[in-house]
Amino acid sequence: MEKSLNNKDILKYGNFNKNQVFFIQRWSEMLNIHTHSKYAVRYLNSHQALKELHYVCKGMIEGTIKKNDNHLKLVFKEVKRVLSSDQIF
């Protein structure tokens, strides 16, 4: 659980029942960028996938991201999967 999201902290902001507290905690966990990808919401759409690919390629060229062929292959594979499931593309 994220810091400052235990029941006591949440109840400072209002009179929530147990279900509402649980919802707030799960919602925050799913939207937190540091949540393990297994539990996070999968929100990668075509635009975000292409932005990620651009970011990784640019970072490898500039040297801010360590060159790793396997990492690049995984990013390409993910982008291909996202684009192929997009009905507009």
Side-chain angles (χ1 to χ4, degrees):
M1 182 182 319
E2 206 174 324
K3 184 179 179 183
S4 301
L5 275 179
N6 62 36
N7 295 12
K8 191 175 173 182
D9 292 326
I10 292 171
L11 291 174
K12 287 184 215 174
Y13 297 100
N15 188 19
F16 303 108
N17 65 38
K18 288 188 329 183
N19 294 331
Q20 290 169 323
V21 170
F22 178 78
F23 176 80
I24 292 167
Q25 290 170 335
R26 297 295 75 80
W27 178 54
S28 178
E29 180 182 20
M30 289 189 318
L31 296 178
N32 186 329
I33 61 170
H34 300 295
T35 297
H36 190 282
S37 61
K38 187 173 184 179
Y39 303 111
V41 174
R42 300 194 188 281
Y43 64 92
L44 196 61
N45 58 31
S46 297
H47 182 253
Q48 289 292 343
L50 291 170
K51 279 178 63 175
E52 181 179 352
L53 179 61
H54 177 262
Y55 172 80
V56 171
C57 290
K58 183 178 176 185
M60 287 183 171
I61 291 168
E62 293 175 350
T64 56
I65 296 177
K66 184 180 175 185
K67 290 185 181 179
N68 181 333
D69 289 341
N70 190 44
H71 180 211
L72 192 57
K73 285 178 188 176
L74 290 173
V75 173
F76 269 111
K77 183 177 177 182
E78 184 177 24
V79 171
K80 183 178 178 183
R81 180 188 57 76
V82 170
L83 292 177
S84 66
S85 66
D86 189 331
Q87 294 179 355
I88 294 174
F89 275 90

